Amino acid sequence: MDLKQAILGRRAIREYANTEVDEATIQSLIEDAVHAPSAVNRQPWAFTVVRDKSVMSRLSDKAKAYMLASTAPESHDEHFRVHLANPDFDIFYHAPVLVVISAARQDRWNAEDCALAAENLMLSAYAAGLGTCWIGLAQGFLNTPEGKAMLGIDEASVPVAPIIVGRPKNVPPAVLRNVPAVRWI
């Protein structure tokens, strides 16, 4: 698969087949992720791989409660309120794998560096026939002492990109893209 195919074909997947992703495949995705560029070549990333369903379920419950408690009610739209309050809603969409990319050291460009690694991981997963989705709903809780402790993430580290990975059950169609504002100078 060429790069353009991967860029245009990758989607946020929210429905996963009930199949595992083997350790070698996950390791391969991480190897591709670490080839992302980073500011001053600091490579600040660390990876936490979660495949334990009970841990993912507890993380989902804690993250939903954290979002509902820590965000002003008027800032939630009704769609999020309904989902977050639903005990059956799994923010990880029952994916078999969660990869949390964290910044292992404090640096000015950690978020950008980890986001670049996340994009590499997601494109590599797509090329391997897997689906991914960046789970923004988990980020707040994962950055708490309790969230970090649940995953064994060092207190000084900053979880940046919680990415779920699995075999897509369905692939959503492409969405129309807005025409970008481009200024030529």
Side-chain angles (χ1 to χ4, degrees):
M1 168 177 307
D2 74 3
L3 179 60
K4 188 78 165 180
Q5 247 183 314
I7 290 171
L8 297 178
R10 193 212 64 79
R11 304 275 180 273
I13 301 298
R14 293 181 180 89
E15 289 186 79
Y16 292 89
N18 191 19
T19 58
E20 296 300 317
V21 179
D22 64 86
E23 190 172 320
T25 300
I26 297 166
Q27 189 61 46
S28 177
L29 299 179
I30 292 170
E31 288 169 12
D32 290 346
V34 301
H35 284 280
S38 65
V40 196
N41 197 32
R42 291 189 186 231
Q43 303 177 44
W45 38 68
F47 299 82
T48 303
V49 179
V50 182
R51 297 192 302 176
D52 184 319
K53 293 284 189 197
S54 66
V55 171
M56 288 176 71
S57 180
R58 286 194 316 273
L59 282 172
S60 177
D61 291 343
K62 296 275 190 180
K64 291 187 307 185
Y66 179 86
M67 282 289 294
L68 286 170
S70 66
T71 309
E74 63 276 0
S75 68
H76 290 295
D77 67 27
E78 189 59 25
H79 171 79
F80 282 119
R81 256 195 303 274
V82 167
H83 278 74
L84 292 171
N86 180 351
D88 295 327
F89 173 62
D90 175 12
I91 67 169
F92 302 117
Y93 299 98
H94 306 286
V97 179
L98 168 65
V99 178
V100 179
I101 304 173
S102 300
R105 66 174 63 91
Q106 297 301 316
D107 192 57
R108 183 176 185 167
W109 298 284
N110 280 346
E112 292 85 350
D113 292 343
C114 289
L116 289 166
E119 182 68 5
N120 271 19
L121 186 141
M122 292 187 289
L123 289 173
S124 179
Y126 177 75
L130 298 170
T132 58
C133 188
W134 183 314
I135 305 298
L137 292 175
Q139 286 179 250
F141 176 71
L142 290 176
N143 274 293
T144 66
E146 181 183 6
K148 290 177 185 182
M150 284 181 73
L151 295 181
I153 295 173
D154 182 85
E155 183 60 37
S157 294
V158 178
V160 174
I163 309 292
I164 53 174
V165 181
R167 301 236 176 260
K169 187 184 276 186
N170 298 304
V171 177
V175 296
L176 293 175
R177 297 294 174 178
N178 296 332
V179 176
V182 178
R183 289 171 186 76
W184 297 86
I185 299 181

